Amino acid sequence: MASTAGAVKPGPSAAPAAPVPSAPPAPASKASATPQVQLIPASAEGALDAAEEAVDLLLESGRAPGEVLVVTTGDPHPWAAHELSFGEAPYWAQHDAGDDVFYADAAALSRAASRPVVVVAANGGADATAAALPLALGRAGALMIVCGDPQQINSVLGTRV
């Protein structure tokens, strides 16, 4: 009787090749390039406090401070006012270093670089907020949080919120 221990079984002689995708992955859609927009309802007087709370939550959830830009549409954030008292150059040097949360007035937004998260404190009038929101959205990489009057914000951003 012949031994079958060394016999070769019929079938493929090599392991099957890994499947090859039929087409390259589709490019990211334009929608994924648009930052997510979140609204935190607040009065103009309470917008700055709401923005501070949003920043605290972002940092507590693991966001790096240098990833956050806070924009005010009315009175400046107390940190910005304090830092600007030392002059424009040191203030913007802190921005350029990108090591910490940066606070800017909406009027200076065109000078601010993009950051993954932009928090807007809509603490100014309707015109200032309407002018600032599109610029702030352009600076936000992944997320824009807007603290202010929901009607006013929705009238500017439309169905984005």
Side-chain angles (χ1 to χ4, degrees), residues 6-159:
V8 176
K9 294 182 180 177
S13 59
V20 177
S22 59
S29 70
K30 190 150 181 89
S32 67
T34 302
Q36 177 185 358
V37 178
Q38 294 179 358
L39 172 62
I40 298 175
S43 66
E45 297 78 25
L48 199 53
D49 289 337
E52 281 295 312
E53 289 177 28
V55 169
D56 288 345
L57 288 172
L58 288 164
L59 298 176
E60 289 170 8
S61 69
R63 279 277 177 194
E67 294 182 348
V68 181
L69 170 66
V70 179
V71 177
T72 56
T73 64
D75 289 336
H77 187 278
W79 179 90
H82 173 75
E83 292 302 318
L84 280 166
S85 71
F86 299 108
E88 291 269 333
Y91 172 76
W92 286 104
Q94 290 182 12
H95 167 270
D96 296 340
D99 296 331
D100 207 350
V101 175
F102 190 76
Y103 298 84
D105 182 82
L109 196 51
S110 62
R111 187 168 173 185
S114 294
R115 294 211 176 175
V117 179
V118 174
V119 179
V120 179
N123 62 338
D127 291 343
T129 298
L133 288 177
L135 290 172
L137 187 61
R139 295 293 183 271
L143 174 64
M144 181 171 81
I145 300 171
V146 186
C147 306
D149 180 313
Q151 281 187 317
Q152 185 182 52
I153 293 161
N154 283 319
S155 72
V156 175
L157 295 178
T159 59

